[in-house]
Amino acid sequence: VKCIGILTSGGDAPGMNAAIRAVTRAAIYNGLQVKGIYRGYRGLVTGEIKEFKSQNVSNIIQLGGTILKTARCQEFTTPEGRQIAYDNMKKEGIDALVIIGGDGSLTGARIFAQEFDVPCIGLPGTIDNDLYGTDTTIGYDTALNTILDAVDKIRDTATSHERLFFVEVMGRDAGFLALNGAIASGAEAAIIPEFSTEVDQLEEFIKNGFRKSKNSSIVIVAESELTGGAMHFAERVKNEYPQYDVRVTILGHLQRGGSPTAHDRILASRLGAAAIDAIMEGQRNVMIGIEHDEVVYVPFTKAIKNDKPIKKDLVNVLRELSI
Ligand code: ATP
């Protein structure tokens, strides 16, 4: 491998820039050439590619978003689109790829690597923390801290007005942000997709007598088809318990922004440097993760299995501490 291409794909996450910086600098340090590919897989298809030197990644470690931009690319999901991407790669002299993104992006990488025998290394970049084989993903810690800032503020008004707030956070099919956000903000409950089929989480929350000792309550709800979202629960409470003064706040895209935390910057830097080590070692088709503070290589098929478990003890902690 002489030249690597780097791209960010799917939903943006704080710390992606720190990862771009780390991959670029570690590659140059190891004598490799680096090319930045713009707008995810779309840039590979359209040929929006530019050589990166060390200076191209100066002063970005602290920035949210991604200087390479990100996009969703329909064309790359077709064999024809991937052929064009491969041809452009060859034209640019790129012989390995580092892909920073979520499960969709890594699925694309897995298929591409199989079809064209291109070494692809993935870095887990998503606020959702839903990739298997890494303790946390790049952007998750920052998003969690953003949620805390917001919920702390909502609590002030919830307490003053003695209201029940449903706060919706991101996390599509994974409840990590909602559950840990609830624990860290001292919320009364979290409604997460993992348990949507097991129990009626709202019923359980009401049954636990949330107003016994409290005048206000905050429930964090993961935005997901499986939970139905915060609005859905607010409507239910309004209908079934009209005595409660209910409000909804949807945090939305503000959760994706902001300067990455120290945790996310260090994680991104370690993972980025490890991606280049992996390429130098001849690894291919793996996601780099960190488990128990050690760098690990996780085969794509395992990373995207979509069954990263929620720790049961966290559910218990939330329940015990919200009495
Ligand atoms: P996030 O979880 O933050 O939304 P993601 O990486 O899962 O990020 P997706 O929109 O699912 O985001 O995927 C990003 C891009 O990856 C898609 O636009 C597409 O170009 C590519 N991709 C996803 N799935 C496939 C697939 N099955 N085959 C080929 N490419 C794919």
Side-chain angles (χ1 to χ4, degrees):
V1 174
K2 290 197 179 66
C3 173
I4 63 143
I6 174 169
L7 61 87
T8 49
S9 167
D12 66 324
M16 279 184 163
N17 281 325
I20 294 168
R21 171 181 178 271
V23 170
T24 302
R25 296 241 164 118
I28 293 170
Y29 181 86
N30 283 283
L32 301 175
Q33 199 188 1
V34 181
K35 296 207 170 169
I37 300 159
Y38 285 81
R39 300 182 173 79
Y41 292 119
R42 195 197 292 169
L44 214 47
V45 174
T46 59
E48 260 190 289
I49 299 168
K50 173 177 140 181
E51 176 154 10
F52 265 30
K53 301 286 189 200
S54 188
Q55 309 85 272
N56 290 96
V57 294
S58 292
N59 241 318
I60 64 168
I61 195 169
Q62 76 281 18
L63 301 179
T66 159
I67 60 159
L68 282 174
K69 315 289 183 195
T70 184
R72 299 202 151 91
C73 175
Q74 178 54 34
E75 235 182 321
F76 195 76
T77 62
T78 67
E80 298 76 29
R82 291 194 293 273
Q83 181 67 53
I84 298 171
Y86 179 73
D87 294 344
N88 277 329
M89 229 186 104
K90 287 290 116 180
K91 204 166 77 193
E92 289 282 344
I94 298 171
D95 34 31
L97 286 179
V98 177
I99 297 102
I100 308 167
D103 59 341
S105 305
L106 299 191
T107 303
R110 182 183 61 76
I111 294 168
F112 189 64
Q114 243 170 15
E115 268 173 355
F116 295 102
D117 198 25
V118 173
C120 288
I121 302 291
L123 296 187
T126 166
I127 64 166
D128 295 346
N129 199 34
D130 58 351
L131 290 164
Y132 190 89
T134 190
D135 292 337
T136 61
T137 56
I138 297 165
Y140 168 66
D141 184 66
T142 306
L144 197 51
N145 278 284
T146 302
I147 289 169
L148 294 194
D149 275 351
V151 176
D152 286 349
K153 289 179 176 132
I154 291 166
R155 188 177 287 288
D156 291 343
T157 172
T159 313
S160 303
H161 282 278
E162 305 187 292
R163 281 176 174 152
L164 165 58
F165 264 85
F166 287 94
V167 180
E168 184 174 294
V169 303
M170 285 187 171
R172 277 196 300 190
D173 300 321
F176 296 100
L177 282 174
L179 181 58
N180 285 314
I183 291 173
S185 66
E188 278 63 37
I191 293 177
I192 59 175
E194 284 83 348
F195 297 140
S196 56
T197 51
E198 284 178 30
V199 283
D200 186 337
Q201 297 172 85
L202 179 67
E203 209 51 52
E204 202 175 57
F205 164 64
I206 303 273
K207 214 172 56 214
N208 289 343
F210 75 101
R211 284 252 159 131
K212 261 193 225 135
S213 58
K214 292 174 187 166
N215 294 324
S216 68
S217 284
I218 292 181
V219 176
I220 314 284
V221 183
E223 162 202 3
S224 161
E225 275 180 20
L226 295 170
T227 64
M231 281 294 185
H232 163 73
F233 287 98
E235 285 307 317
R236 261 191 68 188
V237 173
K238 276 187 206 161
N239 290 332
E240 295 172 32
Y241 308 92
Q243 67 273 34
Y244 300 138
D245 191 6
V246 181
R247 292 291 185 279
V248 171
T249 302
I250 295 171
L251 297 186
H253 283 82
L254 74 83
Q255 295 166 87
R256 285 195 185 280
S259 182
T261 58
H263 175 93
D264 276 334
R265 295 184 200 194
I266 294 165
L267 176 68
S269 299
R270 281 182 87 183
L271 292 176
I276 298 304
D277 289 343
I279 287 173
M280 302 299 281
E281 283 170 21
Q283 290 280 346
R284 41 171 62 210
N285 313 339
V286 291
M287 182 195 85
I288 314 287
I290 291 191
E291 273 192 321
H292 312 301
D293 208 29
E294 298 287 345
V295 170
V296 289
Y297 299 152
V298 190
F300 282 146
T301 39
K302 203 172 156 193
I304 57 190
K305 253 188 2 201
N306 220 352
D307 62 349
K308 188 176 184 178
I310 283 276
K311 296 251 177 329
K312 260 278 188 310
D313 73 289
L314 291 174
V315 177
N316 292 337
V317 165
L318 178 60
R319 192 175 294 139
E320 281 178 23
L321 303 189
S322 63
I323 52 168

